[in-house]
Amino acid sequence: MVKICCIGAGYVGGPTMAVIALKCPSIEVAVVDISIPRINAWNSDQLPIYEPGLDGVVKQCRGKNLFFSTDVEKHVREADIVFVSVNTPTKTRGLGAGKAADLTYWESAARMIADVSKSDKIVVEKSTVPVKTAEAIEKILTHNSKGIKFQILSNPEFLAEGTAIQDLFNPDRVLIGGRETPEGNKAVQALKNVYAHWVPEERILTTNLWSAELSKLAANAFLAQRISSVNAMSALCEATGADVTQVSYAVGKDTRIGPKFLNASVGFGGSCFQKDILNLVYICECNGLPEVAEYWKQVIKINDYQKNRFVNRVVSSMFNTVSNKKIAILGFAFKKDTGDTRETPAIDVCKGLLGDKAQLSIYDPQVTEDQIQRDLTMNKFDWDHPLHLQPMSPTTVKQVTCVWDAYKATKDAHGICILTEWDEFKNLDFKRIYDNMQKPAFVFDGRNIVNVDQLREIGFIVYSIGKPLDPWLKDMPAVA
């Protein structure tokens, strides 16, 4: 029986291994992590992450050929294939701070694998890692190998949160990078055989190690670039009276461009886009390519600009101050159908409004108050370190209350900011909301999900990103 062990029970490791276990009943899969609360949660009825469809997959396999454990060394020792899916946060100090990936957790995982292994192993990079990480890991393993042979593969994930299980069931492509040697080819084939249980052969791509590592960074950079491009256009649309939804629809009809990732919004978030682009920038700088680095930096600059622009629009519309005004925040996760708040634009928008002394009432169907308070008090990049290394009890922000109902959040509010495109926000009774708000009542739609004309008929002053401006907003321009 082939045995697989995955180090790291997070957003990538947990769902990926659950699907491998489901699709490959003849393979024993163990997911290990040093965090006892996280493993306990994977073994309970309340999984540590919310992802549509995940619950059913885990419960079908758990205890049969899928196991969650804190006994890291035992499962690594017994495994034929070891996936490493640990955090690769952005460095906060030292060489490359603010851009380079911090490989501390990766290195300690590699050293542990070398220490406990008694048989040859295939080690698979599953975390998003900078180009040439495999080379560093290879050196650690071979210099500590005690005669055991290790093959390193790169197998980046291309999951989208909210649709991760479907993405795993039916991937666009599975990418496996390995050494172009007989042993490397054999290792690539072994991993191909796992995926071939359910993925058509033509969708399993093989490359050299460096191409696989760089493909992941490149894919995220290209996707983020599309969002920044349409967001840059949204600012121009507001200035000229064009409608960004119509513009992006027309542009997306060009088959060379296509319609995906062309929705204007308050900005992109998630655990990968910003981190991977910063990483790409750092790698370009290290390789003497400052112009290329500068090009990719702009993608992040536009994203930051979009969030600042949104906050400025809110403050300027409301008589240039939100001090002591109640602002309802609908949605805190970075996108719908996930409880993930990593790099969510909501953090920067909320911090911007808090800086002007607003009172925030926040509602998100999947994000806990503890998580929201933690996000609003944590330093940049701290979120990507394992939980036990994060601040234990974040100081609470007194100007923030979290509620479990959109109507409670909006009661007596001066304005509403829609920051996540949860489906339930499209179907709210806005007449009821309007009647219970302070007047004039404002809606700032950061996701373009409301019917602007209907809301204006009710009496709202509406700002929707990239849409022709309400006459009120033209009279009170946002000054950056």
Side-chain angles (χ1 to χ4, degrees), residues 103 132-141:
L103 296 179
K132 299 283 186 177
T133 300
E135 198 165 49
I137 303 307
E138 210 166 43
K139 282 175 179 158
I140 291 167
L141 290 170

Side-chain angles (χ1 to χ4, degrees), residues 292-306:
V292 182
E294 205 49 50
Y295 175 78
W296 289 111
K297 265 188 208 168
Q298 282 306 121
V299 173
I300 289 177
K301 280 187 185 165
I302 288 287
N303 197 47
D304 290 338
Y305 163 74
Q306 189 77 342

Side-chain angles (χ1 to χ4, degrees), residues 200-218:
E201 177 140 12
E202 65 274 10
R203 289 201 209 163
I204 304 176
L205 316 181
T206 57
T207 65
N208 71 27
L209 269 174
W210 326 134
S211 298
E213 288 179 332
L214 189 53
S215 295
K216 170 64 178 171
L217 294 186

Side-chain angles (χ1 to χ4, degrees), residues 326-398:
K326 179 178 175 181
I327 309 285
I329 303 291
L330 298 186
F332 198 84
F334 84 91
K335 64 188 273 195
K336 72 173 185 177
D337 293 336
T338 177
D340 196 352
T341 61
R342 293 177 290 180
E343 292 291 352
T344 174
I347 294 173
D348 287 334
V349 171
C350 288
K351 282 183 173 178
L353 295 171
L354 290 168
D356 206 70
K357 300 198 165 45
Q359 300 286 333
L360 303 184
S361 181
I362 303 177
Y363 165 63
D364 186 287
Q366 283 297 331
V367 184
T368 63
E369 176 164 11
D370 182 56
Q371 187 60 52
I372 289 169
Q373 289 286 3
R374 185 186 288 276
D375 286 331
L376 293 178
T377 50
M378 234 188 293
N379 292 328
K380 203 165 176 56
F381 304 127
D382 274 358
W383 57 266
D384 204 15
H385 291 269
L387 268 178
H388 64 286
L389 296 178
Q390 291 176 12
M392 273 314 287
S393 50
T395 51
T396 54
V397 183
K398 297 283 184 283

